[in-house]
Amino acid sequence: MALKTEEMILNMGPQHPSTHGVLRLELQLEGELIVNVVPHIGYLHRCFEKHAEAMTYPQVIPYTDRMDYLASMYNEFGYALAVEKLLNIEIPERVEYIRVIMGELQRIASHLVAIGTYGADIGAFTPFLFCFRDREKILSLYEMTCGARLLYNYIWVGGVSHDLHPDFLRLTKEFIDYFRPKITELNNLLSYNKIFIERTANVGILKKDVAVNYGITGPMLRASGMKWDLRKDDPYSVYDKFDFDIPVGDGRMGTVGDSWDRYFVRVLEMEESLKIIEQAIAQIPEGDVTSAIPKRIKPPVGQVYSRVENPRGELGYFIMSNGTPNPFRIKVRGPSFINLAVINELCKDLLVADVITILGSIDIVLGEVDR
Amino acid sequence: MGLLDKQFNDENIVITKVGDLLNWARLSSLWQMSFGLACCAIEMMATSASHYDFDRFGVIPRPSPRQCDAIIISGTVTLKMAIRIKRLYEQMPDPKYVISMGSCSNCGGPYWEHGYHVLKGVDRVIPVDVYVPGCPPRPEALLEGLLKLQEKIRNESLVKKSA
Amino acid sequence: MKNTEEIFNLLKEKFGEAIIELKADQPVEAFITVNPLELDKICKYLAETDELKFDSLMNLSGVDEANGESTKDEEGNLTITGGTLSVFYHLESTSLKHKLTLKVSAPRENAEVTSVSEIWKCADWHEREAYDLIGIKFLNHPDLRRILMPYDWEAGHPLQKDYRNPEYYQGMKVPY
């Protein structure tokens, strides 16, 4: 009688509490060790590109919100920049500063969700509640400006839809003073916790040249040791007027490019965003915010590819126009779509529980993967 | 919620009907399956966080369909996902309730016209009890939908068949 | 840092016939059109030469140009015959900080383009998506199958301009 071994296929199905949405991972296991991970996506494919061909240019903005629903301001920002490049119009400086403030607040809110749900996946439930408590303060700032908590339709081509509320800048300064000590509290609770470090250090190591070949961008690339941020390397809007640093992973708890580095880069980025918001509040000029919004958008025949730095990576919009008020083709280069493709490389020879650690540190949003 | 628990303050004996007792037990601890699909899932998570607490109504998120009473479909239902939703619904034990949260699962939402892969309303595959409108609905709107579901359960009867 | 004209001249010297033209008169960006079946050799040269060093593929998008003959039948349904389907490549160099846009076009009935997923692994999923939604086949791709639509979707490639929705899919009504 001979003993034989067989590979087992385990399905982490579309409904799972830790997959951050509807993602199906097919794990081919040998005992508890992983041989292969095959992701199946498309469970949230909402046909954004077909809708964009049927709507006019301003009507596409609510649809761009809903792609990456945790960082909606940045989706609108990227689209507005792309169309403004195609139309070649100048926008008032106050609008640029408002967009930067909204974008950086959105970056903090998005990183709070990423950190909170990452802790919940690993097993620490309390940081989830702490992060959501702080996020509610940011959402009430947004609600004061444009009326919505999650999907805003605020940044339009050529400007923004409403000017800031008279109390907005004062309340944002109070939020910054409230939030700074909370980052220290979060570090004491989660980042330097021994169990968290044991779970995440040396797990899922991503090397720098593999990352560039796979097209990885954002905090994942910075955690592997490469200092690449579109706000400094290919500046857009008024980011070249601010003084801030780019945090890079340095492997202090394990190796460079492991999951702890990817998590900690996000915590450090929240601090840098606070610096940018403070400088923007000090420098913002007066002006009119709706004066440059064109009445009818009909760009010339041509195409443009423009990109911004989403909280998850490089968000790119490729817009082709044929002279009509409807876009001919819009293709969105979603960072989560590209970042997810590397998961097979990262999970080789690890245990099943490490798949969840790695997936949480990649920080995907299924709305952007499937569009 | 006002029916039976207030009466315990005066005496130790409460007299009620079996139907009311069962309904009170069911509506006070609706365990829901955490089924977040898209943007509405973030609002559902915010409802279960500490600002608008879900837990004070007795609602806990459970990961497995075999252990829950209610399912909150939050987010767009695509054709690829609808087959799996039907399977999950059939795995839930009776009595089960469905809350459809957000425009996308009510009727297709903003994707009704050109969405070739979007199911226009989750009631094309499973029966729905409460519809909560909004895109996304505020956490207070979801809590109101939950209270309406509790009303519906309160009026159920063991003898008459429900619709 | 090189601009598109200098790169065009370099490529024309090395590959001759395969480089078709440089179009620089439309806003906003200039692009180089190349032959679809020679694409992998050109991209290997672009990625490995020291003075160009394009080590990162930013974006790959398929486009249905709808430049063939379009006919409408009695119900208003559009059908397009002839014309081309194209793919746009946006390349970047992280060390030398320059960018390039390439375009390839293939006939609509049998669109075939060589795959670049050996050179940049990033292109793997992008090409699967272009196959799924537009219908362009990539030769030598390791695993070309649908990625966003269900695996048994029979009704065609959705982002083509003359796509029509099926009535029912596995018992569910598709239109509103």
Side-chain angles (χ1 to χ4, degrees):
Chain A
M1 185 184 79
L3 289 174
K4 65 180 173 82
T5 54
E6 248 180 48
E7 268 184 12
M8 178 168 113
I9 296 190
L10 185 66
N11 188 25
M12 266 177 76
Q15 186 265 335
H16 193 277
S18 301
T19 52
H20 294 269
V22 278
L23 167 68
R24 178 174 158 219
L25 290 176
E26 192 184 314
L27 309 172
Q28 288 165 3
L29 303 172
E30 188 162 324
E32 182 90 6
L33 292 174
I34 295 183
V35 173
N36 211 4
V37 173
V38 181
H40 297 264
I41 59 176
Y43 290 91
L44 198 59
H45 179 54
R46 289 184 281 193
C47 337
F48 164 73
E49 296 170 358
K50 192 88 181 178
H51 279 89
E53 291 174 11
M55 307 274 150
T56 61
Y57 281 91
Q59 284 177 337
V60 174
I61 294 186
Y63 290 93
T64 61
D65 268 347
R66 282 150 175 82
M67 279 195 302
D68 177 1
Y69 36 84
L70 289 175
S72 318
M73 283 289 184
Y74 251 99
N75 292 14
E76 297 172 6
F77 196 175
Y79 177 74
L81 278 182
V83 181
E84 282 160 12
K85 246 192 217 171
L86 200 54
L87 290 173
N88 207 7
I89 55 179
E90 279 286 318
I91 48 179
E93 223 184 324
R94 186 175 168 85
V95 169
E96 303 265 29
Y97 277 89
I98 293 180
R99 285 179 179 179
V100 166
I101 295 178
M102 293 298 177
E104 293 302 319
L105 279 174
Q106 184 73 82
R107 191 184 299 269
I108 299 178
S110 169
H111 283 324
L112 280 173
V113 175
I115 293 172
T117 48
Y118 192 40
D121 288 344
I122 305 269
F125 197 64
T126 314
F128 173 77
L129 297 173
F130 279 36
C131 291
F132 268 73
R133 171 199 64 183
D134 298 327
R135 188 168 175 260
E136 291 290 332
K137 297 222 170 359
I138 300 183
L139 294 185
S140 64
L141 282 174
Y142 279 138
E143 198 179 338
M144 186 194 315
T145 326
C146 57
R149 282 164 49 101
L150 198 67
L151 305 165
Y152 314 107
N153 194 6
Y154 180 64
I155 298 184
W156 289 356
V157 177
V160 289
S161 67
H162 300 85
D163 201 349
L164 295 177
H165 191 272
D167 283 335
F168 183 84
L169 293 173
R170 176 182 60 89
L171 287 172
T172 312
K173 260 196 240 175
E174 283 176 14
F175 168 73
I176 298 178
D177 296 327
Y178 159 81
F179 188 58
R180 266 214 173 93
K182 299 293 176 195
I183 300 186
T184 329
E185 185 190 60
L186 183 70
N187 276 339
N188 290 338
L189 188 65
L190 191 61
S191 319
Y192 299 129
N193 187 332
K194 189 166 190 324
I195 302 180
F196 188 72
I197 296 176
E198 295 272 327
R199 266 316 280 274
T200 53
N202 291 322
V203 168
I205 300 173
L206 180 65
K207 299 216 174 8
K208 208 195 311 190
D209 42 353
V210 172
V212 173
N213 199 337
Y214 267 91
I216 311 273
T217 48
M220 263 186 99
L221 182 63
R222 294 198 270 282
S224 295
M226 181 151 173
K227 207 165 173 132
W228 178 261
D229 188 334
L230 285 179
R231 295 174 290 172
K232 285 247 178 218
D233 290 298
D234 194 3
Y236 51 93
S237 188
V238 287
Y239 274 104
D240 41 5
K241 299 203 178 131
F242 300 122
D243 170 36
F244 59 100
D245 204 15
I246 310 287
V248 173
D250 51 7
R252 68 176 99 158
M253 294 291 173
T255 350
V256 176
D258 58 9
S259 304
W260 194 86
D261 269 339
R262 290 194 274 274
Y263 157 82
F264 200 60
V265 161
R266 294 194 174 101
V267 175
L268 293 175
E269 272 188 10
M270 288 203 294
E271 285 230 32
E272 302 296 327
S273 290
L274 288 178
K275 271 195 227 164
I276 298 179
I277 300 178
E278 266 177 347
Q279 293 171 40
I281 295 181
Q283 294 176 16
I284 185 169
E286 299 294 328
D288 187 15
V289 296
T290 49
S291 57
I293 297 183
K295 292 260 178 321
R296 202 161 178 254
I297 298 186
K298 222 171 149 192
V301 177
Q303 61 193 58
V304 66
Y305 177 73
S306 104
R307 48 197 191 150
V308 291
E309 178 85 17
N310 214 1
R312 284 166 185 85
E314 170 189 324
L315 173 69
Y317 279 90
F318 171 64
I319 304 186
M320 263 182 89
S321 116
N322 59 351
T324 58
N326 305 21
F328 183 67
R329 169 89 167 106
I330 296 189
K331 157 107 171 96
V332 176
R333 184 242 193 240
S336 307
F337 181 64
I338 310 295
N339 289 358
L340 187 57
V342 81
I343 195 168
N344 195 11
E345 288 279 323
L346 293 181
C347 287
K348 290 258 186 271
D349 290 333
L350 291 177
L351 305 172
V352 175
D354 294 328
V355 174
I356 308 217
T357 311
I358 293 173
L359 193 59
S361 72
I362 298 181
D363 188 19
I364 55 173
V365 167
L366 263 298
E368 202 171 48
V369 172
D370 291 337
R371 273 159 279 130
Chain B
M1 312 291 297
L3 270 186
L4 297 178
D5 34 333
K6 291 266 177 2
Q7 297 175 347
F8 273 107
N9 289 335
D10 308 323
E11 308 137 352
N12 271 347
I13 303 182
V14 175
I15 302 183
T16 175
K17 296 188 279 203
V18 171
D20 281 349
L21 180 68
L22 276 179
N23 288 345
W24 170 75
R26 278 189 191 142
L27 64 88
S28 311
S29 78
L30 274 176
W31 287 8
Q32 53 123 345
M33 182 156 88
S34 45
F35 197 65
L37 291 167
C39 352
C40 287
I42 308 296
E43 288 294 48
M44 191 173 73
M45 274 159 50
T47 317
S48 67
S50 34
H51 206 144
Y52 307 96
D53 193 8
F54 233 7
D55 201 1
R56 55 195 161 125
F57 297 103
V59 178
I60 306 178
R62 295 298 302 166
S64 160
R66 307 266 185 205
Q67 299 169 5
C68 61
D69 309 298
I71 181 172
I72 303 186
I73 313 270
S74 52
T76 320
V77 181
T78 55
L79 297 177
K80 211 170 179 180
M81 195 65 202
I83 310 169
R84 278 83 180 171
I85 290 187
K86 194 156 194 316
R87 201 181 213 187
L88 284 172
Y89 180 74
E90 286 163 6
Q91 280 180 349
M92 282 166 69
D94 266 339
K96 49 194 177 192
Y97 307 99
V98 176
I99 301 182
S100 159
M101 175 183 177
S103 311
C104 287
S105 53
N106 288 350
C107 62
Y111 305 103
W112 67 274
E113 204 179 353
H114 303 280
Y116 45 82
H117 192 230
V118 170
L119 185 69
K120 319 287 189 304
V122 78
D123 48 6
R124 289 187 180 187
V125 284
I126 57 178
V128 173
D129 293 300
V130 174
Y131 295 87
V132 180
C135 189
R138 282 190 64 104
E140 290 100 332
L142 180 60
L143 289 175
E144 183 179 345
L146 181 72
L147 291 178
K148 282 240 173 350
L149 181 63
Q150 289 186 338
E151 267 308 309
K152 181 172 179 176
I153 301 177
R154 191 170 293 152
N155 297 332
E156 269 182 0
S157 145
L158 284 176
V159 182
K160 281 193 298 219
K161 276 202 182 314
S162 53
Chain C
M1 268 201 65
K2 294 192 162 6
N3 65 6
T4 317
E5 269 222 57
E6 298 171 6
I7 302 180
F8 177 68
N9 293 335
L10 262 175
L11 287 176
K12 195 89 179 157
E13 276 174 38
K14 181 138 169 81
F15 289 101
E17 273 304 310
I19 313 286
I20 302 181
E21 66 160 349
L22 164 71
K23 198 164 168 72
D25 51 354
Q26 285 176 345
V28 161
E29 47 183 25
F31 57 88
I32 303 179
T33 317
V34 300
N35 185 355
L37 298 169
E38 307 272 321
L39 186 66
D40 50 350
K41 298 201 206 51
I42 299 175
C43 287
K44 213 162 154 60
Y45 176 72
L46 284 171
E48 289 173 0
T49 331
D50 276 334
E51 45 184 18
L52 296 176
K53 245 197 180 175
F54 283 105
D55 54 358
S56 148
L57 171 70
M58 291 196 285
N59 186 26
L60 192 165
S61 29
V63 177
D64 177 5
E65 308 235 302
N67 50 2
E69 280 184 31
S70 40
T71 48
K72 276 202 170 154
D73 62 7
E74 316 86 47
E75 294 160 14
N77 295 326
L78 184 69
T79 325
I80 305 186
T81 42
T84 53
L85 301 174
S86 359
V87 184
F88 281 86
Y89 295 78
H90 290 89
L91 306 171
E92 178 190 41
S93 167
T94 49
S95 40
L96 300 173
K97 309 255 186 185
H98 50 209
K99 301 189 205 150
L100 180 67
T101 311
L102 292 176
K103 173 179 169 178
V104 296
S105 291
R108 195 194 183 86
E109 264 69 40
N110 187 14
E112 284 181 354
V113 178
T114 46
S115 160
V116 295
S117 52
E118 292 283 313
I119 311 170
W120 300 292
K121 296 252 174 21
C122 175
D124 193 349
W125 277 23
H126 269 133
E127 290 177 347
R128 274 179 74 181
E129 186 191 339
Y131 165 67
D132 187 4
L133 297 179
I134 314 260
I136 303 175
K137 291 197 224 348
F138 290 89
L139 308 169
N140 303 330
H141 191 273
D143 181 21
L144 193 68
R145 57 195 164 110
R146 286 192 185 262
I147 189 172
L148 293 176
M149 302 299 288
Y151 292 129
D152 57 352
W153 190 257
E154 314 256 305
H157 301 277
L159 271 179
Q160 290 181 344
K161 301 281 183 192
D162 55 349
Y163 169 76
R164 273 197 284 284
N165 255 332
E167 262 305 302
Y168 280 91
Y169 170 70
Q170 291 203 14
M172 296 178 280
K173 184 155 184 279
V174 175
Y176 182 59

